[in-house]
Amino acid sequence: AQVTEEFVRQRELRKEHGSVTAVKEGQGELYVLVLGESSNKRHWSAWGYVRDTTPWTASLRDDENTFFFENAYSSYCHTVPSLTKALTKANQYNGLPDAYAPSLMEVARAAGFNVFWLSNQDKTTLGDNPLTVLSLDSDYTEFTTRARFSSDADLIPLLDRVLERLDFSNNLIILHSIGSHFDYARRVPRGFRPEFVHKEEYLGHHARDAKFMNEILDPYDRTIRFTDVFLQAVSDRLEKTP
């Protein structure tokens, strides 16, 4: 009851900032925004990590149409405050409350975009409520059913269904992944166990700590490796989408 009451309260607050206006020239454009989760670029080989965790992403370094940001930072260390800042006009400098801040989704819709929010996160908890309320600024929202027990492979069927129904207007698809969220072993499909070289000269004394390697570092790096697989699967689908 408390969760539901708070959800309704936050939903009403978001309606108080009023409507927004925006203009977009041209039609037939498709944008996909993937929101990562608990992912540290120091564990991405595309940014120089010694283990080969992101071969597909690293291959894009040779693609002149791909841009890599070398100094991008999250605005907070936790999901909800980070994304409510990243996806709205609110930030740490303007003092605008999240609930009253226009969102990317609202601006896109005002400009004529169809906006889809597909999430592999929990939907209704006291912690997740603010982000779920924000997601409802989209035209269409859908959540997977096993967020705490699944990998982001569960997002692919949702994405496929949305891609099948797109028209040739402007579209924005937001994929909110579970990414590398603890428990790491649950973030990859069963049987997904790529092996990595320990590289003791880089990992130092950690490489000699079997418990740390087996229970923390290897499982975490596998989540990064699966994120790379997931991003490639998304990209492959977009290549086939008119």
Side-chain angles (χ1 to χ4, degrees):
Q2 183 184 8
V3 170
T4 302
E5 180 181 340
E6 181 63 15
F7 184 87
V8 172
R9 186 188 73 82
Q10 293 181 21
R11 183 66 175 146
E12 291 303 313
L13 283 176
R14 275 215 60 76
K15 296 178 181 178
E16 293 182 10
H17 68 71
S19 60
V20 298
T21 58
V23 176
K24 169 72 172 76
E25 295 181 359
Q27 294 289 311
E29 298 181 11
L30 169 61
Y31 297 86
V32 176
L33 173 61
V34 180
L35 303 176
E37 185 72 39
S38 304
S39 186
N40 186 333
K41 79 171 188 178
R42 291 184 179 182
H43 286 257
W44 287 57
S45 53
W47 274 272
Y49 185 43
V50 68
R51 289 176 149 191
D52 188 21
T53 50
T54 55
W56 180 77
T57 305
S59 73
L60 298 179
R61 288 280 183 181
D62 298 323
D63 180 356
E64 63 181 9
N65 295 312
T66 301
F67 295 87
F68 281 79
F69 294 89
E70 306 301 339
N71 294 290
Y73 298 88
S74 168
S75 54
Y76 272 94
C77 58
H78 290 85
T79 300
V80 173
S82 176
L83 289 179
T84 52
K85 294 293 187 291
L87 297 174
T88 73
K89 189 178 179 180
N91 58 53
Q92 287 95 333
Y93 307 101
N94 62 22
L96 186 64
D98 298 342
Y100 303 117
S103 68
L104 169 67
M105 293 73 74
E106 288 176 301
V107 172
R109 290 178 66 192
F113 278 79
N114 301 310
V115 182
F116 304 85
W117 180 291
L118 308 177
S119 177
N120 196 25
Q121 294 277 331
D122 286 322
K123 186 175 183 179
T124 50
T125 70
L126 284 177
D128 291 295
N129 269 349
L131 192 56
T132 300
V133 168
L134 191 62
S135 76
L136 296 177
D137 287 347
S138 307
D139 294 290
Y140 175 86
T141 62
E142 186 172 0
F143 289 74
T144 60
T145 58
R146 303 184 306 125
R148 291 194 178 276
F149 305 96
S150 70
S151 75
D152 289 318
D154 285 7
L155 277 173
I156 294 299
L158 275 60
L159 175 62
D160 286 340
R161 288 198 292 270
V162 167
L163 291 176
E164 289 174 0
R165 62 185 283 190
L166 292 184
D167 57 27
F168 283 90
S169 58
N170 291 324
N171 296 278
L172 168 63
I173 302 173
I174 299 172
L175 301 173
H176 188 191
S177 70
I178 197 71
S180 299
H181 222 294
F182 193 81
D183 178 356
Y184 307 137
R186 291 177 172 175
R187 300 297 157 239
V188 299
R190 188 182 300 275
F192 184 83
R193 291 184 61 85
E195 299 298 329
F196 303 106
V197 177
H198 282 2
K199 297 278 188 179
E200 184 171 337
E201 67 273 19
Y202 181 87
L203 299 175
H205 68 278
H206 292 303
R208 298 188 294 275
D209 184 341
K211 182 178 176 64
F212 174 79
M213 297 299 296
N214 293 331
E215 298 182 10
I216 302 295
L217 187 63
D218 285 349
Y220 182 80
D221 282 349
R222 289 186 189 111
T223 69
I224 302 295
R225 181 69 180 86
F226 187 71
T227 293
D228 191 63
V229 171
F230 171 74
L231 291 174
Q232 184 175 11
V234 172
S235 178
D236 288 346
R237 282 160 171 75
L238 298 182
E239 290 285 348
K240 301 173 184 176
T241 300

